Amino acid sequence: MKKEGNAARTLFLDFIYDFGGSLLYAAGTLLFVAPSNIAPGGASGVAIMLGYLFGLPIGTTAFVINIPLLFLALRFLGRAFTLKTLRTLAINTVVMDVLIAPVVARYYDAATLLGADGQLLGSLFGGVLVGAGLGTIFLRDSTTGGTDIVGRLLQLKFPYLPIGRAMMVVDACVLLSSIVVFRSLRSGLYGMITIFVTSKVIDGIVYGADKGTMALIVTTEGRAIADGILSSLDRGATLLKGTGAYSKAQKDVIVCAVRTAQFHRMKTIVYRCDPGAFIIVTEAGEVYGEGFKEMERKR
């Protein structure tokens, strides 16, 4: 009974995230991206171009484009991934073509809202809304298919090809096609802006709250610095023992992860205790553990 309840809760949460993400995605596409003659990569970009040429509904067209990709995904990427993607695609199609598109067609005037700077505003605000929608969907480990499926399939064929690069190649082909379809170099350039903004918003939603700064601090005052970090920043630190390769001197090495906004205070603590300390700083895309993101548990 408990297992069935958890499964129902998981399915309900998946639906809520898919529906909310699809609303944002559809709004960004139909209110800003498509009216600005921008095709920012992926199956949706191809659907926008086909809609421009033949008046086809964008959501349904994107779904049809994804059908052969879903068969390939079922064969090579697994049943669970394919079914989850199919569910998200179905919800996204209904939201875009049944809920949002009729309202846009009846009440929305893109020329009035976007004005003379239509493509610039369309690329920026469209990128924000589309990115917010995709980021919301990605939070439940789902996808809208298209470029994501193609990228994963290419990586199976070419294991050493990074999936991000594979997806970028596909999006670049769509952008080049948009220049021909819309007969405008500007459409391709603004499409690049849309892709950039979309990716930044997705990263902000999926990783933003969990980003941090990791520091490796080489010092002779490890205990004092660690105490200062613990008391002033309420952050943990790990003390390691190190030996200088040249000097042969014994050193403390502190490993510490802090929020980005706390780094300046941490640096002040370090140099107050040891002006000669050596600090290596790197951005941590995600940090798990106490004070940061809890390890995910499947719900």
Side-chain angles (χ1 to χ4, degrees):
M1 184 68 72
K2 184 177 180 181
K3 187 175 181 180
E4 292 177 358
N6 288 336
R9 183 171 182 268
T10 297
L11 187 61
F12 176 74
L13 286 175
D14 286 346
F15 175 81
I16 293 298
Y17 275 73
D18 280 349
F19 184 76
S22 295
L23 282 175
L24 293 170
Y25 183 85
T29 300
L30 297 178
L31 295 178
F32 295 101
V33 177
S36 302
N37 289 343
I38 296 173
S44 63
V46 177
I48 288 172
M49 289 188 285
L50 292 175
Y52 173 81
L53 292 173
F54 306 110
L56 300 174
I58 295 173
T60 303
T61 305
F63 186 90
V64 171
I65 292 170
N66 272 288
I67 289 176
L69 296 177
L70 287 171
F71 279 109
L72 291 173
L74 181 62
R75 180 175 179 182
F76 296 106
L77 300 178
R79 183 171 177 269
F81 171 84
T82 304
L83 289 178
K84 207 164 192 178
T85 301
L86 178 61
R87 184 199 63 220
T88 302
L89 274 171
I91 293 173
N92 187 66
T93 301
V94 171
V95 169
M96 184 173 291
D97 289 349
V98 178
L99 298 183
I100 304 298
V103 176
V104 170
R106 184 170 183 178
Y107 299 107
Y108 181 64
D109 183 0
T112 300
L113 177 64
L114 300 179
D117 298 322
Q119 283 193 306
L120 178 60
L121 292 176
S123 64
L124 293 174
F125 286 96
V128 169
L129 287 174
V130 169
L134 290 175
T136 302
I137 291 170
F138 291 167
L139 285 175
R140 297 299 295 179
D141 295 325
S142 191
T143 172
T144 55
T147 307
D148 189 45
I149 295 178
V150 174
R152 291 172 188 246
L153 292 172
L154 285 175
Q155 196 175 43
L156 288 177
K157 181 68 175 177
F158 307 101
Y160 300 104
L161 178 67
I163 191 167
R165 190 173 299 173
M167 294 170 69
M168 185 174 65
V169 170
V170 177
D171 286 338
C173 292
V174 175
L175 282 177
L176 290 174
S177 300
S178 73
I179 295 174
V180 177
V181 170
F182 297 126
R183 299 180 182 179
S184 170
L185 178 61
R186 292 166 63 93
S187 292
L189 297 176
Y190 282 119
M192 294 174 64
I193 294 176
T194 304
I195 291 174
F196 177 80
V197 173
T198 297
S199 66
K200 289 298 181 182
V201 173
I202 291 173
D203 287 346
I205 290 175
V206 177
Y207 305 114
D210 308 306
K211 279 188 177 180
T213 298
M214 188 187 79
L216 291 174
I217 306 163
V218 182
T219 177
T220 57
E221 301 293 336
R223 186 70 265 171
I225 293 174
D227 289 342
I229 291 172
L230 289 169
S231 61
S232 299
L233 302 181
D234 194 27
R235 291 294 175 196
T238 301
L239 275 169
L240 307 174
K241 291 298 180 182
T243 303
Y246 177 77
S247 67
K248 307 297 191 297
Q250 296 297 310
K251 299 273 187 170
D252 292 320
V253 180
I254 303 173
V255 182
C256 181
V258 298
R259 295 289 185 191
T260 304
Q262 295 178 310
F263 174 70
H264 178 73
R265 290 165 59 196
M266 187 197 72
K267 188 169 64 173
T268 301
I269 292 169
V270 172
Y271 286 123
R272 185 176 63 226
C273 297
D274 181 8
F278 186 77
I279 306 178
I280 303 172
V281 182
T282 183
E283 180 181 304
E286 289 187 275
V287 184
Y288 291 90
E290 186 175 352
F292 290 92
K293 185 178 182 180
E294 294 185 3
M295 293 296 291
E296 294 180 1
R297 296 178 177 86
K298 291 296 182 181
R299 296 184 293 273

